[in-house]
Amino acid sequence: MLNLNNAPVSEAPSMERTLIPNGTVCRAVILVKMGDIEIPEFGRGQWFKSSQSSRAKWMELEFTVIGGEHDRRKFWDRIFVDGDKIGQSGIPQAKEIGLQTLRQIIESANNIDPSDMSDAAQQRRNISGVNDLSGMEICAKVGIKKGTNGYSDSNRLIAALTPNQKDFISSGQTPVMQTPAASAVQQQAPAPQQSGVAPSWANR
């Protein structure tokens, strides 16, 4: 038995975690978090989690900021790939959005313009599975997700920016954190909630 009753008590004041400002643009490295189910379409390995009350399925990503004021800070987000609501294409809307996000990540990491349909660009958009995202470095636009059910607000990924966007920071470029003034911050769309609860568009 490990008795910690006599261990020294920390006298350091509790530090309130400060969020990365909403709208900040930075370079960040991705880590794909392990899940508990496999979806063969997205590669081998259990990289996904599923809701107990709907068809919603998602993967969880961890982002580590590289360089600048927020160097080595981390934030997390989810990419949904299934849900109950069917989109205009005939597949779940969650999957439509998830595939779009995955493409943005690949194009951001590989410095590919979305309009580039050359053979080389198309080949670089092919990956063996979502686990290939681990270690990729992207240009990330960071947002803030409102906390619910007792959870505090937290940072999230707004988008992986691509070379055709004016705020894009390329790999190796000296990172100059682009953080909008508070008065210019735009209101963000609702983000996935905690504890496996899917966003409304994944359930309808």
Side-chain angles (χ1 to χ4, degrees):
M1 177 181 293
L2 178 62
N3 186 348
L4 298 175
N5 287 294
N6 296 319
V9 177
S10 174
E11 297 180 359
S14 58
M15 299 293 290
E16 183 176 349
R17 184 167 59 91
T18 303
L19 296 177
I20 298 171
N22 191 38
T24 295
V25 177
C26 59
R27 297 292 298 183
V29 173
I30 299 172
L31 174 66
V32 181
K33 307 291 285 185
M34 202 70 187
D36 49 31
I37 62 171
E38 178 178 306
I39 304 179
E41 176 185 358
F42 292 92
R44 299 184 62 182
Q46 296 182 330
W47 302 108
F48 293 89
K49 295 184 177 181
S50 61
S51 169
Q52 300 300 310
S53 59
S54 73
R55 288 180 51 187
K57 299 180 183 66
W58 65 89
M59 60 184 296
E60 298 189 348
L61 303 180
E62 176 183 287
F63 300 86
T64 303
V65 177
I66 299 176
E69 179 183 355
H70 306 292
D71 186 38
R72 291 187 282 187
R73 288 284 302 275
K74 296 180 184 292
F75 60 95
W76 295 263
D77 209 348
R78 297 172 175 176
I79 297 179
F80 282 78
V81 296
D82 199 4
D84 295 324
K85 185 177 181 180
I86 303 300
Q88 295 182 350
S89 65
I91 65 174
Q93 185 177 353
K95 185 175 182 178
E96 290 178 344
I97 297 172
L99 290 173
Q100 180 185 52
T101 302
L102 288 171
R103 174 169 174 163
Q104 288 176 345
I105 287 174
I106 297 301
E107 290 176 338
S108 182
N110 289 282
N111 203 37
I112 302 172
D113 190 300
S115 65
D116 186 352
M117 297 306 294
S118 65
D119 290 343
Q122 292 190 53
Q123 182 60 38
R124 295 177 79 182
R125 290 190 187 99
N126 290 323
I127 57 175
S128 61
V130 294
N131 56 305
D132 285 359
L133 272 60
S134 280
M136 286 189 179
E137 181 185 325
I138 66 170
C139 178
K141 187 170 187 178
V142 184
I144 295 177
K145 175 171 59 179
K146 291 295 294 181
T148 58
N149 300 323
Y151 288 92
S152 301
D153 294 355
S154 59
N155 286 122
R156 69 179 183 93
L157 179 71
I158 294 177
L161 300 185
T162 48
N164 62 314
Q165 295 173 290
K166 65 181 181 64
D167 292 336
F168 179 77
I169 303 171
S170 62
S171 178
Q173 180 179 345
T174 302
V176 177
M177 292 302 175
Q178 301 175 28
T179 304
S183 60
V185 173
Q186 298 180 349
Q187 187 175 15
Q188 302 302 326
Q193 299 183 13
Q194 303 285 344
S195 305
V197 178
S200 58
W201 45 260
N203 293 328
R204 293 199 297 265

XYZ file of all heavy atoms in Angstrom, residues 111-196:
625
model
N 0.696 20.766 -48.687
C 0.813 22.011 -49.442
C 0.155 21.894 -50.816
O 0.709 22.330 -51.835
C 2.284 22.409 -49.579
C 2.467 23.895 -49.836
O 1.729 24.715 -49.300
N 3.444 24.240 -50.658
N -1.043 21.317 -50.842
C -1.765 21.100 -52.091
C -2.918 22.093 -52.200
O -3.737 22.211 -51.280
C -2.342 19.668 -52.173
C -1.223 18.637 -52.050
C -3.121 19.472 -53.466
C -1.741 17.210 -51.939
N -3.001 22.783 -53.316
C -4.149 23.646 -53.574
C -5.354 22.754 -53.885
O -5.244 21.815 -54.670
C -3.853 24.558 -54.771
C -4.904 25.642 -54.950
O -6.086 25.304 -55.141
O -4.541 26.831 -54.913
N -6.521 23.017 -53.282
C -7.698 22.171 -53.524
C -8.090 22.060 -54.995
O -8.712 21.065 -55.399
C -8.801 22.865 -52.721
C -8.083 23.588 -51.639
C -6.794 24.048 -52.264
N -7.743 23.059 -55.798
C -8.087 23.034 -57.220
C -7.082 22.255 -58.056
O -7.307 22.027 -59.254
C -8.205 24.459 -57.761
O -6.946 25.130 -57.704
N -5.981 21.839 -57.454
C -4.927 21.118 -58.178
C -5.353 19.662 -58.375
O -5.410 18.878 -57.436
C -3.627 21.171 -57.384
C -2.445 20.554 -58.145
O -2.668 19.958 -59.226
O -1.307 20.659 -57.645
N -5.667 19.300 -59.602
C -6.085 17.935 -59.919
C -5.056 17.218 -60.778
O -5.376 16.300 -61.522
C -7.455 17.950 -60.613
C -8.582 18.506 -59.747
S -8.722 17.666 -58.138
C -9.211 16.021 -58.671
N -3.809 17.644 -60.670
C -2.730 16.971 -61.392
C -2.565 15.553 -60.842
O -3.019 15.240 -59.736
C -1.422 17.746 -61.235
O -0.998 17.736 -59.877
N -1.899 14.701 -61.614
C -1.680 13.321 -61.171
C -0.928 13.291 -59.838
O -1.246 12.493 -58.952
C -0.896 12.539 -62.230
C -1.721 12.267 -63.482
O -2.962 12.388 -63.404
O -1.124 11.945 -64.529
N 0.066 14.166 -59.701
C 0.869 14.190 -58.474
C 0.010 14.567 -57.270
O 0.108 13.964 -56.200
C 2.025 15.167 -58.628
N -0.855 15.585 -57.443
C -1.710 16.027 -56.345
C -2.712 14.955 -55.961
O -2.953 14.696 -54.773
C -2.429 17.314 -56.735
N -3.296 14.300 -56.962
C -4.277 13.256 -56.679
C -3.621 12.084 -55.952
O -4.213 11.500 -55.035
C -4.937 12.782 -57.973
C -5.827 13.842 -58.609
C -6.657 13.282 -59.754
O -7.361 12.296 -59.615
N -6.563 13.932 -60.913
N -2.407 11.758 -56.327
C -1.701 10.667 -55.669
C -1.419 11.002 -54.208
O -1.528 10.147 -53.328
C -0.393 10.362 -56.405
C 0.400 9.205 -55.820
C -0.377 7.895 -55.831
O -1.109 7.596 -56.779
N -0.233 7.094 -54.776
N -1.078 12.240 -53.930
C -0.749 12.641 -52.566
C -1.988 12.712 -51.681
O -1.872 12.739 -50.455
C -0.011 13.984 -52.578
C 1.349 13.903 -53.264
C 2.017 15.242 -53.338
N 2.633 15.623 -52.067
C 3.258 16.790 -51.879
N 3.323 17.676 -52.868
N 3.803 17.062 -50.711
N -3.163 12.761 -52.293
C -4.397 12.732 -51.499
C -4.780 11.318 -51.095
O -5.736 11.123 -50.346
C -5.550 13.373 -52.283
C -5.444 14.886 -52.462
C -6.725 15.481 -53.026
N -6.556 16.902 -53.345
C -6.312 17.367 -54.563
N -6.210 16.525 -55.594
N -6.176 18.668 -54.761
N -4.072 10.325 -51.584
C -4.346 8.936 -51.212
C -3.571 8.572 -49.953
O -2.361 8.811 -49.868
C -3.932 7.981 -52.347
C -4.838 8.089 -53.553
O -6.042 8.268 -53.409
N -4.274 8.000 -54.742
N -4.251 7.997 -48.975
C -3.589 7.521 -47.764
C -4.034 6.086 -47.512
O -5.095 5.660 -47.969
C -3.914 8.398 -46.537
C -5.426 8.467 -46.289
C -3.348 9.800 -46.725
C -5.797 9.233 -45.016
N -3.227 5.322 -46.780
C -3.575 3.919 -46.522
C -4.651 3.797 -45.461
O -5.374 2.810 -45.401
C -2.325 3.148 -46.080
O -1.800 3.689 -44.879
N -4.780 4.810 -44.613
C -5.789 4.808 -43.561
C -5.640 6.057 -42.720
O -4.650 6.798 -42.842
N -6.610 6.302 -41.850
C -6.580 7.534 -41.059
C -5.400 7.593 -40.102
O -4.993 8.689 -39.682
C -7.902 7.709 -40.275
C -9.068 7.929 -41.228
C -8.167 6.516 -39.357
N -4.816 6.444 -39.777
C -3.658 6.466 -38.890
C -2.460 7.159 -39.543
O -1.521 7.572 -38.858
C -3.276 5.051 -38.449
C -3.013 4.126 -39.621
O -3.877 3.988 -40.490
N -1.873 3.478 -39.648
N -2.498 7.311 -40.873
C -1.431 8.039 -41.574
C -1.391 9.511 -41.169
O -0.387 10.193 -41.392
C -1.630 7.957 -43.095
C -1.273 6.600 -43.665
O -0.857 5.721 -42.891
O -1.430 6.404 -44.889
N -2.483 10.011 -40.578
C -2.512 11.408 -40.180
C -1.545 11.692 -39.034
O -1.083 12.824 -38.870
C -3.919 11.826 -39.755
C -4.869 12.344 -40.852
C -5.092 11.294 -41.928
C -6.204 12.764 -40.243
N -1.240 10.676 -38.230
C -0.315 10.870 -37.107
C 1.046 11.328 -37.618
O 1.624 10.699 -38.505
C -0.154 9.578 -36.301
O -1.237 9.393 -35.421
N 1.537 12.424 -37.085
C 2.823 12.974 -37.495
C 2.717 14.025 -38.577
O 3.700 14.727 -38.855
N 1.530 14.172 -39.193
C 1.376 15.202 -40.214
C 1.348 16.577 -39.564
O 0.787 16.762 -38.480
C 0.081 14.989 -41.010
C 0.133 13.845 -41.990
S -1.332 13.832 -43.064
C -0.927 12.407 -44.104
N 1.960 17.534 -40.238
C 1.978 18.914 -39.757
C 1.092 19.760 -40.649
O 1.257 19.781 -41.868
C 3.408 19.448 -39.773
C 3.544 20.876 -39.267
C 4.954 21.415 -39.419
O 5.917 20.620 -39.271
O 5.102 22.619 -39.708
N 0.123 20.443 -40.045
C -0.826 21.231 -40.820
C -0.815 22.689 -40.375
O -0.250 23.040 -39.345
C -2.266 20.681 -40.678
C -2.759 20.861 -39.230
C -2.334 19.226 -41.115
C -4.244 20.584 -39.044
N -1.459 23.520 -41.183
C -1.743 24.891 -40.783
C -3.145 24.882 -40.189
O -4.117 24.616 -40.903
C -1.665 25.835 -41.980
S -2.057 27.550 -41.548
N -3.243 25.116 -38.890
C -4.516 24.982 -38.182
C -5.084 26.333 -37.788
O -4.357 27.221 -37.333
C -4.321 24.132 -36.930
N -6.399 26.469 -37.959
C -7.115 27.621 -37.413
C -7.838 27.120 -36.169
O -8.632 26.186 -36.243
C -8.097 28.201 -38.420
C -8.734 29.512 -37.949
C -9.502 30.175 -39.071
C -9.993 31.556 -38.645
N -10.706 32.258 -39.744
N -7.537 27.721 -35.041
C -8.013 27.232 -33.746
C -9.232 28.017 -33.279
O -9.272 29.250 -33.403
C -6.891 27.337 -32.686
C -7.347 26.733 -31.363
C -5.619 26.643 -33.190
N -10.214 27.307 -32.748
C -11.404 27.946 -32.206
C -11.616 27.563 -30.757
O -10.768 26.912 -30.142
N -12.750 27.971 -30.216
C -13.109 27.651 -28.838
C -14.462 26.958 -28.819
O -15.427 27.434 -29.419
C -13.148 28.918 -27.960
C -11.747 29.520 -27.845
C -13.710 28.610 -26.574
C -11.689 30.824 -27.059
N -14.505 25.818 -28.134
C -15.738 25.041 -27.982
C -16.319 25.315 -26.604
O -15.632 25.205 -25.590
C -15.412 23.550 -28.144
C -16.582 22.628 -27.889
C -16.245 21.209 -28.284
C -15.039 20.653 -27.530
N -14.751 19.259 -27.906
N -17.579 25.718 -26.562
C -18.230 26.000 -25.291
C -18.381 24.716 -24.486
O -18.796 23.679 -24.996
C -19.608 26.620 -25.515
C -19.579 28.021 -26.077
C -18.951 29.015 -25.100
C -19.765 29.194 -23.846
N -19.153 30.172 -22.905
N -18.062 24.798 -23.213
C -18.191 23.636 -22.356
C -19.641 23.349 -22.012
O -20.463 24.258 -21.896
N -19.960 22.080 -21.871
C -21.306 21.663 -21.486
C -21.209 20.561 -20.436
O -20.170 19.928 -20.271
C -22.091 21.121 -22.704
O -21.375 20.017 -23.279
C -22.292 22.199 -23.764
N -22.312 20.349 -19.736
C -22.386 19.267 -18.751
C -21.252 19.319 -17.723
O -20.690 18.287 -17.354
C -22.391 17.902 -19.455
C -23.562 17.739 -20.402
O -24.664 18.208 -20.121
N -23.325 17.087 -21.536
N -20.907 20.524 -17.297
C -19.873 20.670 -16.282
C -18.468 20.795 -16.817
O -17.527 21.042 -16.045
N -18.274 20.617 -18.122
C -16.947 20.753 -18.723
C -16.646 22.227 -19.017
O -17.531 22.997 -19.382
C -16.848 19.955 -20.024
C -16.800 18.454 -19.825
C -17.960 17.696 -19.842
C -15.581 17.807 -19.623
C -17.914 16.315 -19.654
C -15.531 16.428 -19.439
C -16.695 15.692 -19.463
O -16.644 14.336 -19.272
N -15.380 22.611 -18.882
C -14.960 23.976 -19.196
C -14.860 24.157 -20.705
O -14.816 23.180 -21.470
C -13.594 24.262 -18.550
O -13.646 24.109 -17.147
N -14.802 25.412 -21.144
C -14.553 25.688 -22.558
C -13.195 25.102 -22.936
O -12.295 24.987 -22.093
C -14.535 27.196 -22.816
C -15.893 27.854 -22.594
O -16.866 27.129 -22.338
O -15.960 29.096 -22.666
N -13.037 24.743 -24.197
C -11.774 24.163 -24.652
C -11.507 24.579 -26.090
O -12.416 25.009 -26.805
C -11.813 22.636 -24.549
O -12.869 22.102 -25.327
N -10.247 24.459 -26.494
C -9.904 24.758 -27.882
C -10.292 23.614 -28.798
O -10.384 22.463 -28.382
C -8.405 25.027 -28.018
C -8.001 26.381 -27.473
O -7.157 26.477 -26.586
N -8.592 27.454 -27.990
N -10.513 23.939 -30.055
C -10.853 22.943 -31.064
C -10.293 23.402 -32.408
O -9.829 24.547 -32.552
C -12.369 22.775 -31.182
C -13.084 23.989 -31.782
C -14.575 23.760 -31.886
N -15.268 24.876 -32.527
C -15.540 24.943 -33.829
N -15.145 23.968 -34.637
N -16.183 25.975 -34.331
N -10.347 22.504 -33.379
C -9.919 22.841 -34.738
C -11.101 23.440 -35.493
O -12.138 22.799 -35.631
C -9.420 21.587 -35.465
C -8.959 21.791 -36.910
C -7.639 22.554 -36.949
C -8.818 20.446 -37.625
N -10.939 24.677 -35.961
C -11.951 25.256 -36.851
C -11.783 24.685 -38.250
O -12.734 24.242 -38.882
C -11.846 26.784 -36.909
C -12.185 27.402 -35.551
C -12.783 27.348 -37.982
C -12.039 28.907 -35.525
N -10.535 24.690 -38.731
C -10.256 24.199 -40.081
C -8.770 23.985 -40.259
O -7.944 24.616 -39.588
C -10.760 25.192 -41.131
N -8.429 23.073 -41.172
C -7.058 22.935 -41.644
C -6.962 23.823 -42.886
O -7.616 23.549 -43.892
C -6.758 21.480 -41.984
N -6.179 24.885 -42.800
C -6.092 25.828 -43.911
C -5.219 25.274 -45.027
O -4.251 24.546 -44.781
C -5.533 27.165 -43.420
C -6.343 27.877 -42.329
C -5.728 29.251 -42.038
C -7.807 28.018 -42.724
N -5.572 25.623 -46.250
C -4.862 25.148 -47.441
C -4.171 26.326 -48.140
O -4.478 27.495 -47.861
C -5.846 24.447 -48.394
O -7.015 25.278 -48.571
C -6.294 23.114 -47.809
N -3.207 26.034 -49.051
C -2.378 27.090 -49.647
C -3.138 28.193 -50.375
O -2.596 29.281 -50.574
C -1.478 26.321 -50.622
C -1.429 24.943 -50.087
C -2.782 24.700 -49.489
N -4.369 27.942 -50.776
C -5.140 28.964 -51.488
C -5.763 29.991 -50.550
O -6.368 30.967 -51.014
C -6.242 28.305 -52.315
C -7.233 27.539 -51.453
O -6.841 26.775 -50.565
N -8.524 27.727 -51.695
N -5.615 29.797 -49.226
C -6.205 30.718 -48.263
C -5.155 31.697 -47.748
O -4.005 31.325 -47.487
C -6.834 29.927 -47.113
C -8.016 29.070 -47.594
C -8.542 28.146 -46.514
O -7.875 27.190 -46.142
N -9.739 28.413 -46.030
N -5.561 32.956 -47.581
C -4.595 34.033 -47.318
C -3.859 33.867 -45.993
O -2.730 34.333 -45.856
C -5.292 35.389 -47.360
C -6.342 35.627 -46.284
C -6.972 36.997 -46.440
C -8.016 37.275 -45.355
N -7.414 37.318 -43.996
N -4.451 33.224 -45.003
C -3.806 33.068 -43.698
C -2.906 31.836 -43.609
O -2.319 31.566 -42.557
C -4.869 32.978 -42.592
C -5.613 34.290 -42.400
O -5.044 35.346 -42.748
O -6.755 34.268 -41.907
N -2.783 31.086 -44.706
C -2.025 29.843 -44.690
C -0.561 30.081 -44.331
O 0.097 30.966 -44.881
C -2.111 29.153 -46.061
C -1.343 27.858 -46.145
C -1.849 26.702 -45.575
C -0.116 27.804 -46.798
C -1.148 25.498 -45.662
C 0.589 26.606 -46.884
C 0.061 25.453 -46.315
N -0.058 29.282 -43.376
C 1.356 29.303 -42.995
C 1.972 28.000 -43.492
O 1.544 26.923 -43.091
C 1.536 29.404 -41.466
C 0.830 30.643 -40.921
C 3.007 29.415 -41.098
C 0.779 30.679 -39.399
N 2.960 28.081 -44.364
C 3.559 26.878 -44.937
C 4.577 26.269 -43.983
O 5.070 26.927 -43.065
C 4.222 27.194 -46.279
O 5.268 28.129 -46.104
N 4.912 25.016 -44.207
C 5.895 24.321 -43.385
C 7.245 24.995 -43.506
O 7.696 25.323 -44.604
C 6.001 22.855 -43.820
O 6.977 22.173 -43.076
N 7.913 25.203 -42.369
C 9.220 25.838 -42.382
C 9.162 27.341 -42.336
O 10.176 28.002 -42.100
N 7.987 27.917 -42.580
C 7.850 29.368 -42.514
C 7.884 29.809 -41.055
O 7.314 29.152 -40.183
C 6.521 29.793 -43.148
C 6.258 31.293 -43.140
C 4.923 31.631 -43.800
O 4.348 30.791 -44.497
N 4.435 32.832 -43.586
N 8.554 30.900 -40.781
C 8.607 31.417 -39.411
C 7.195 31.703 -38.947
O 6.496 32.529 -39.539
C 9.439 32.704 -39.328
O 10.754 32.439 -39.803
C 9.501 33.196 -37.887
N 6.738 30.977 -37.917
C 5.350 31.144 -37.499
C 5.103 32.490 -36.839
O 5.725 32.839 -35.852
C 5.141 29.989 -36.500
C 6.500 29.695 -35.977
C 7.461 30.003 -37.086
N 4.214 33.256 -37.429
C 3.756 34.496 -36.815
C 2.297 34.264 -36.461
O 1.448 34.173 -37.341
C 3.880 35.688 -37.788
C 3.326 36.951 -37.141
C 5.330 35.883 -38.199
N 2.020 34.108 -35.176
C 0.669 33.767 -34.758
C -0.318 34.839 -35.210
O -0.147 36.021 -34.916
C 0.600 33.606 -33.231
C 1.362 32.398 -32.729
S 0.757 30.880 -33.462
C 1.934 29.707 -32.781
N -1.313 34.399 -35.916
C -2.309 35.331 -36.421
C -3.544 35.190 -35.534
O -4.310 34.245 -35.654
C -2.637 35.009 -37.873
C -1.411 35.070 -38.766
C -1.685 34.632 -40.175
O -2.800 34.756 -40.662
N -0.684 34.104 -40.850
N -3.718 36.145 -34.640
C -4.819 36.104 -33.693
C -5.678 37.348 -33.887
O -5.199 38.459 -33.709
C -4.305 36.070 -32.242
O -3.425 34.956 -32.100
C -5.452 35.937 -31.261
N -6.941 37.190 -34.249
C -7.792 38.349 -34.491
C -8.096 39.104 -33.209
O -8.098 38.527 -32.126
C -9.066 37.733 -35.079
C -9.098 36.351 -34.528
C -7.657 35.926 -34.429
N -8.346 40.396 -33.329
C -8.755 41.181 -32.175
C -10.103 40.682 -31.689
O -10.900 40.133 -32.456
C -8.847 42.664 -32.560
N -10.360 40.877 -30.414
C -11.602 40.347 -29.838
C -12.822 40.853 -30.581
O -13.803 40.130 -30.767
C -11.685 40.736 -28.362
N -12.783 42.104 -31.043
C -13.939 42.672 -31.729
C -14.167 42.069 -33.089
O -15.234 42.196 -33.671
C -13.752 44.188 -31.876
O -12.588 44.464 -32.636
N -13.134 41.416 -33.626
C -13.244 40.860 -34.975
C -13.489 39.367 -34.964
O -13.617 38.755 -36.011
C -11.964 41.158 -35.760
N -13.558 38.749 -33.785
C -13.759 37.307 -33.704
C -15.148 36.948 -34.195
O -16.135 37.526 -33.765
C -13.580 36.809 -32.252
C -13.955 35.341 -32.151
C -12.143 37.007 -31.813
N -15.207 36.003 -35.098
C -16.480 35.572 -35.630
C -17.056 34.462 -34.775
O -16.336 33.659 -34.205
C -16.318 35.067 -37.068
C -15.830 36.149 -38.014
C -15.675 35.607 -39.415
O -15.738 34.411 -39.641
N -15.484 36.488 -40.368
N -18.381 34.400 -34.716
C -19.035 33.352 -33.956
C -18.879 32.030 -34.683
O -19.077 31.951 -35.896
C -20.521 33.684 -33.783
C -21.252 32.728 -32.852
C -22.674 33.164 -32.620
O -23.179 34.003 -33.353
N -23.317 32.600 -31.632
N -18.505 30.998 -33.956
C -18.239 29.706 -34.565
C -19.456 28.792 -34.476
O -20.288 28.927 -33.584
C -17.050 29.031 -33.874
C -15.792 29.867 -33.923
C -15.374 30.196 -35.339
O -15.567 29.386 -36.242
N -14.808 31.367 -35.548
N -19.537 27.810 -35.386
C -20.626 26.845 -35.369
C -20.479 25.909 -34.178
O -19.375 25.698 -33.687
C -20.610 26.028 -36.675
N -21.590 25.332 -33.707
C -21.514 24.405 -32.574
C -20.588 23.250 -32.877
O -20.523 22.763 -34.008
C -22.964 23.928 -32.415
C -23.794 24.995 -33.052
C -22.955 25.531 -34.178
N -19.838 22.800 -31.880
C -18.876 21.717 -32.050
C -19.357 20.474 -31.338
O -20.257 20.528 -30.510
C -17.532 22.147 -31.487
N -18.758 19.294 -31.652
C -19.113 18.068 -30.960
C -18.968 18.225 -29.460
O -18.049 18.867 -28.978
C -18.097 17.057 -31.512
C -17.705 17.611 -32.834
C -17.749 19.102 -32.678
N -19.865 17.600 -28.703
C -19.848 17.705 -27.263
C -19.094 16.558 -26.651
O -18.628 15.651 -27.323
C -21.285 17.755 -26.727
C -22.061 18.968 -27.251
C -23.443 19.034 -26.653
O -23.754 18.347 -25.693
N -24.278 19.855 -27.228
N -18.977 16.603 -25.324
C -18.211 15.611 -24.602
C -18.989 14.315 -24.422
O -20.170 14.226 -24.705
C -17.836 16.175 -23.222
C -17.066 17.488 -23.268
C -15.645 17.299 -23.687
O -15.119 16.192 -23.677
N -14.982 18.375 -24.053
N -18.288 13.321 -23.881
C -18.874 12.058 -23.434
C -19.599 11.300 -24.536
O -20.627 10.671 -24.299
C -19.825 12.311 -22.261
O -19.158 12.989 -21.226
N -19.099 11.385 -25.758
C -19.667 10.579 -26.841
C -20.958 11.122 -27.396
O -21.634 10.451 -28.153
